[in-house]
Amino acid sequence: MIAIHVLNGPNLNLLGRREPDVYGRATLADIEADLRARAEAEGVALVFLQSNEEGALVTAVQEAGLAGAGVVLNAGAYTHTSIALRDAIAGSGARVVEVHLSNVHARESFRHRSLIAPVCLGVIAGFGAESYLLGFDACLSAMRRVAGAPARQ
Ligand code: CA2
């Protein structure tokens, strides 16, 4: 069975409570519920996790990659700073779709650079909570394309 791990970085636990103009009104629990419904319909095993800690996210990426699971990753602010996350993606061979709620390219310049994008399959940004569903679908089709093949080296 294909597994997809949806990993969320710092402060995303606050979703729906602050800055709704930037991040929308959906809570992380709402996003998880939508993804669980989609995963069940598609016969995919879903793991959903949020952490404010970089090391926990590094471990989660490694575990997903080494297990051959796909990853939908909203690394939050670590997107723009974390060499460790980038190394975890590259080192574990994880197939990762980077997602963002907001259109990071329409915001402050420090959000324009992603350290992880070069080692991801692709990036989806700017569609609010729907970015996660789009990321899930993109990740699932990539996983189905390579089903049966060993993880990327
Ligand atoms: O747009 C996204 O999904 C981001 O990954 C969100 C991050 C931000 O640092 C990235 O540049 C883009 C911030 C997540 C913080 O989420 C909050 C939600 C509600 C209230 C405050 C923060």
Side-chain angles (χ1 to χ4, degrees), residues 87-135:
D87 289 348
I89 296 167
S92 67
R95 292 188 175 87
V96 179
V97 177
E98 176 183 338
V99 300
H100 298 285
L101 295 149
S102 63
N103 178 357
V104 285
H105 299 287
R107 301 181 63 193
E108 305 96 322
S109 59
F110 62 81
R111 297 188 202 275
H112 297 177
R113 184 182 68 155
S114 167
L115 293 189
I116 62 174
V119 293
C120 289
L121 298 173
V123 181
I124 294 167
F127 299 97
E130 202 189 348
S131 289
Y132 281 83
L133 290 172
L134 295 168

Coordinates of all heavy atoms in Angstrom, one line a residue, residues 87-135:
D87 N 19.2 18.2 3.6 CA 20.1 17.0 3.6 C 19.3 15.7 4.0 O 19.6 14.7 3.5 CB 21.2 17.2 4.7 CG 22.2 18.2 4.2 OD1 22.2 18.6 3.0 OD2 23.1 18.6 5.1
A88 N 18.3 15.9 4.8 CA 17.4 14.7 5.2 C 16.7 14.2 4.0 O 16.5 13.0 3.7 CB 16.5 15.1 6.3
I89 N 16.2 15.1 3.1 CA 15.4 14.8 1.9 C 16.4 14.1 1.0 O 16.1 13.0 0.5 CB 14.8 16.0 1.3 CG1 13.7 16.6 2.2 CG2 14.2 15.6 -0.1 CD1 13.2 18.0 1.8
A90 N 17.5 14.7 0.7 CA 18.5 14.2 -0.3 C 19.0 12.8 0.3 O 19.2 11.9 -0.5 CB 19.6 15.2 -0.5
G91 N 19.4 12.8 1.5 CA 20.0 11.6 2.1 C 19.2 10.4 2.2 O 19.6 9.3 2.2
S92 N 17.9 10.6 2.5 CA 17.0 9.5 2.6 C 16.3 9.1 1.3 O 15.6 8.1 1.3 CB 15.9 9.8 3.7 OG 15.0 10.8 3.2
G93 N 16.5 9.9 0.3 CA 15.8 9.6 -1.0 C 14.3 9.8 -1.0 O 13.6 9.3 -1.8
A94 N 13.9 10.6 0.0 CA 12.4 10.8 0.1 C 11.9 11.6 -1.1 O 12.5 12.5 -1.6 CB 12.1 11.6 1.4
R95 N 10.7 11.1 -1.5 CA 10.1 11.8 -2.6 C 9.1 12.8 -2.0 O 8.1 12.5 -1.4 CB 9.3 10.9 -3.5 CG 10.2 9.9 -4.3 CD 9.5 9.1 -5.3 NE 10.4 8.3 -6.1 CZ 10.9 7.1 -5.7 NH1 10.4 6.6 -4.6 NH2 11.7 6.5 -6.5
V96 N 9.5 14.1 -2.2 CA 8.8 15.2 -1.4 C 8.1 16.2 -2.3 O 8.8 16.7 -3.3 CB 9.8 15.9 -0.5 CG1 9.1 17.0 0.3 CG2 10.5 14.9 0.5
V97 N 6.9 16.5 -2.0 CA 6.3 17.7 -2.7 C 6.2 18.8 -1.6 O 5.6 18.6 -0.5 CB 4.9 17.4 -3.2 CG1 4.2 18.6 -3.8 CG2 4.9 16.2 -4.2
E98 N 6.8 19.9 -1.9 CA 6.8 21.1 -1.0 C 5.5 21.8 -1.2 O 5.1 22.1 -2.3 CB 8.0 22.0 -1.3 CG 8.1 23.3 -0.5 CD 9.2 24.2 -0.9 OE1 10.2 23.7 -1.5 OE2 9.1 25.4 -0.6
V99 N 4.8 22.1 -0.1 CA 3.6 22.9 -0.2 C 3.6 24.1 0.8 O 4.3 24.1 1.8 CB 2.3 22.0 0.1 CG1 2.2 20.9 -0.8 CG2 2.2 21.6 1.6
H100 N 2.9 25.1 0.3 CA 2.7 26.3 1.2 C 1.3 26.8 1.0 O 0.7 26.8 -0.1 CB 3.7 27.5 0.8 CG 5.1 27.1 1.0 ND1 5.6 27.0 2.2 CD2 6.0 26.7 0.1 CE1 6.9 26.6 2.1 NE2 7.2 26.4 0.8
L101 N 0.7 27.3 2.1 CA -0.6 27.9 2.0 C -0.6 29.2 1.3 O -1.5 29.4 0.4 CB -1.1 28.1 3.5 CG -1.3 26.9 4.3 CD1 -1.0 27.2 5.8 CD2 -2.7 26.4 4.2
S102 N 0.3 30.0 1.6 CA 0.4 31.3 1.0 C 1.3 31.3 -0.3 O 2.1 30.3 -0.5 CB 1.0 32.3 2.0 OG 2.3 32.0 2.3
N103 N 1.2 32.3 -1.1 CA 2.1 32.4 -2.3 C 3.3 33.1 -1.8 O 3.4 34.3 -1.7 CB 1.4 33.2 -3.4 CG 2.3 33.4 -4.6 OD1 3.5 33.0 -4.5 ND2 1.8 34.1 -5.6
V104 N 4.3 32.3 -1.4 CA 5.5 32.9 -0.8 C 6.2 33.9 -1.7 O 6.9 34.8 -1.2 CB 6.5 31.7 -0.4 CG1 6.0 31.0 0.9 CG2 6.7 30.7 -1.5
H105 N 6.0 33.7 -3.0 CA 6.7 34.6 -4.0 C 6.1 36.0 -4.0 O 6.6 36.9 -4.6 CB 6.8 34.0 -5.4 CG 7.5 32.7 -5.3 ND1 8.9 32.7 -5.1 CD2 7.1 31.4 -5.2 CE1 9.3 31.4 -5.0 NE2 8.3 30.6 -5.1
A106 N 4.9 36.1 -3.5 CA 4.2 37.4 -3.5 C 4.4 38.1 -2.1 O 3.8 39.1 -1.8 CB 2.7 37.2 -3.7
R107 N 5.3 37.5 -1.3 CA 5.5 38.1 0.1 C 6.9 38.6 0.2 O 7.5 38.9 -0.7 CB 5.1 37.0 1.1 CG 3.7 36.4 1.0 CD 3.4 35.4 2.0 NE 3.5 35.9 3.3 CZ 3.5 35.2 4.4 NH1 3.4 33.8 4.3 NH2 3.6 35.7 5.6
E108 N 7.4 38.7 1.5 CA 8.7 39.3 1.7 C 9.8 38.5 1.0 O 9.6 37.3 0.8 CB 9.0 39.2 3.2 CG 8.0 39.9 4.1 CD 7.0 38.9 4.7 OE1 6.6 37.9 4.0 OE2 6.6 39.1 5.9
S109 N 10.9 39.2 0.6 CA 11.9 38.5 -0.2 C 12.5 37.4 0.5 O 13.0 36.4 -0.2 CB 12.9 39.5 -0.7 OG 13.5 40.1 0.4
F110 N 12.6 37.4 1.8 CA 13.2 36.3 2.5 C 12.4 35.0 2.4 O 12.9 33.9 2.7 CB 13.5 36.6 4.0 CG 12.3 36.9 4.8 CD1 11.5 35.9 5.4 CD2 12.0 38.2 5.1 CE1 10.4 36.1 6.2 CE2 10.8 38.5 5.9 CZ 10.1 37.4 6.4
R111 N 11.2 35.1 1.9 CA 10.3 33.9 1.7 C 10.5 33.4 0.3 O 9.9 32.3 -0.1 CB 8.9 34.1 2.0 CG 8.6 34.5 3.5 CD 7.1 34.6 3.8 NE 6.9 35.4 4.9 CZ 6.9 35.0 6.2 NH1 7.2 33.7 6.5 NH2 6.7 35.8 7.2
H112 N 11.2 34.1 -0.6 CA 11.3 33.7 -2.0 C 12.2 32.5 -2.2 O 12.1 31.8 -3.2 CB 11.7 34.9 -2.9 CG 10.8 36.0 -2.9 ND1 11.0 37.2 -3.5 CD2 9.6 36.2 -2.2 CE1 10.0 38.0 -3.3 NE2 9.1 37.4 -2.5
R113 N 13.2 32.4 -1.3 CA 14.2 31.3 -1.4 C 13.8 30.1 -0.6 O 13.5 30.2 0.6 CB 15.6 31.8 -1.0 CG 16.7 30.8 -1.2 CD 18.0 31.2 -0.7 NE 18.0 31.3 0.7 CZ 19.1 31.2 1.5 NH1 20.3 31.1 0.9 NH2 19.1 31.3 2.8
S114 N 13.8 29.0 -1.2 CA 13.5 27.7 -0.5 C 14.8 26.9 -0.6 O 15.3 26.6 -1.7 CB 12.4 26.9 -1.1 OG 12.4 25.6 -0.6
L115 N 15.3 26.5 0.5 CA 16.5 25.6 0.5 C 16.2 24.2 0.2 O 17.0 23.4 -0.2 CB 17.2 25.7 1.9 CG 17.9 27.0 2.3 CD1 18.7 26.8 3.6 CD2 18.7 27.6 1.2
I116 N 14.9 23.8 0.3 CA 14.5 22.4 0.1 C 14.0 22.2 -1.3 O 14.0 21.0 -1.8 CB 13.5 21.9 1.1 CG1 12.2 22.7 1.1 CG2 14.1 22.0 2.5 CD1 11.1 22.2 2.0
A117 N 13.5 23.2 -2.0 CA 12.9 23.0 -3.3 C 13.8 22.3 -4.3 O 13.3 21.4 -5.0 CB 12.5 24.4 -3.9
P118 N 15.1 22.5 -4.3 CA 15.9 21.8 -5.3 C 16.0 20.3 -5.1 O 16.3 19.6 -6.1 CB 17.3 22.4 -5.1 CG 17.1 23.7 -4.5 CD 15.9 23.5 -3.6
V119 N 15.6 19.8 -3.9 CA 15.6 18.3 -3.7 C 14.2 17.8 -3.6 O 14.0 16.6 -3.2 CB 16.5 17.9 -2.5 CG1 18.0 18.2 -2.8 CG2 16.1 18.7 -1.2
C120 N 13.2 18.6 -3.9 CA 11.8 18.2 -4.0 C 11.4 17.8 -5.4 O 12.0 18.3 -6.4 CB 10.9 19.2 -3.4 SG 11.1 19.4 -1.6
L121 N 10.3 17.1 -5.5 CA 9.7 16.8 -6.8 C 9.2 18.1 -7.4 O 9.2 18.3 -8.7 CB 8.6 15.7 -6.7 CG 9.1 14.4 -6.2 CD1 7.8 13.5 -6.0 CD2 10.0 13.7 -7.2
G122 N 8.6 18.9 -6.6 CA 8.0 20.1 -7.1 C 7.4 20.9 -5.9 O 7.5 20.5 -4.8
V123 N 6.9 22.1 -6.2 CA 6.4 23.0 -5.2 C 5.0 23.5 -5.6 O 4.7 23.9 -6.7 CB 7.3 24.2 -5.1 CG1 6.9 25.2 -4.0 CG2 8.8 23.8 -4.9
I124 N 4.1 23.5 -4.6 CA 2.8 24.1 -4.7 C 2.6 25.2 -3.7 O 2.8 24.9 -2.5 CB 1.7 23.0 -4.6 CG1 1.9 22.0 -5.8 CG2 0.3 23.6 -4.6 CD1 1.1 20.7 -5.7
A125 N 2.2 26.4 -4.1 CA 2.1 27.5 -3.1 C 1.0 28.4 -3.5 O 0.8 28.7 -4.7 CB 3.4 28.2 -3.0
G126 N 0.2 28.9 -2.5 CA -0.7 30.0 -2.8 C -2.1 29.6 -2.8 O -3.0 30.5 -3.1
F127 N -2.5 28.3 -2.6 CA -3.9 27.9 -2.8 C -4.6 27.6 -1.4 O -5.5 26.9 -1.4 CB -3.9 26.7 -3.7 CG -3.4 27.0 -5.1 CD1 -2.1 26.7 -5.4 CD2 -4.2 27.7 -6.0 CE1 -1.6 27.0 -6.7 CE2 -3.8 28.0 -7.3 CZ -2.5 27.7 -7.6
G128 N -4.0 28.2 -0.4 CA -4.6 28.0 1.0 C -4.6 26.5 1.3 O -3.7 25.7 0.9
A129 N -5.6 26.0 2.0 CA -5.7 24.6 2.4 C -5.7 23.7 1.2 O -5.2 22.5 1.3 CB -7.0 24.4 3.3
E130 N -6.1 24.2 0.1 CA -6.2 23.3 -1.1 C -4.8 23.0 -1.6 O -4.6 21.9 -2.3 CB -6.9 24.0 -2.2 CG -7.4 23.0 -3.3 CD -8.0 23.7 -4.5 OE1 -8.3 24.9 -4.5 OE2 -8.2 22.9 -5.5
S131 N -3.8 23.8 -1.2 CA -2.4 23.4 -1.6 C -2.0 22.0 -1.1 O -1.3 21.3 -1.7 CB -1.4 24.4 -0.9 OG -1.4 25.7 -1.5
Y132 N -2.6 21.6 0.1 CA -2.3 20.3 0.6 C -2.9 19.2 -0.2 O -2.3 18.2 -0.5 CB -2.8 20.2 2.0 CG -1.9 20.8 3.1 CD1 -2.0 22.2 3.4 CD2 -1.0 20.1 3.9 CE1 -1.2 22.8 4.3 CE2 -0.2 20.7 4.8 CZ -0.3 22.0 5.1 OH 0.5 22.6 6.0
L133 N -4.1 19.4 -0.7 CA -4.8 18.4 -1.5 C -4.1 18.3 -2.9 O -3.9 17.2 -3.4 CB -6.3 18.7 -1.7 CG -7.1 18.6 -0.4 CD1 -8.5 19.1 -0.6 CD2 -7.2 17.1 0.0
L134 N -3.7 19.4 -3.4 CA -3.0 19.4 -4.7 C -1.6 18.7 -4.5 O -1.2 17.9 -5.4 CB -2.7 20.9 -5.2 CG -4.0 21.6 -5.6 CD1 -3.7 23.1 -5.8 CD2 -4.7 21.0 -6.8
G135 N -1.0 19.0 -3.4 CA 0.3 18.4 -3.1 C 0.2 16.9 -2.9 O 1.0 16.1 -3.3

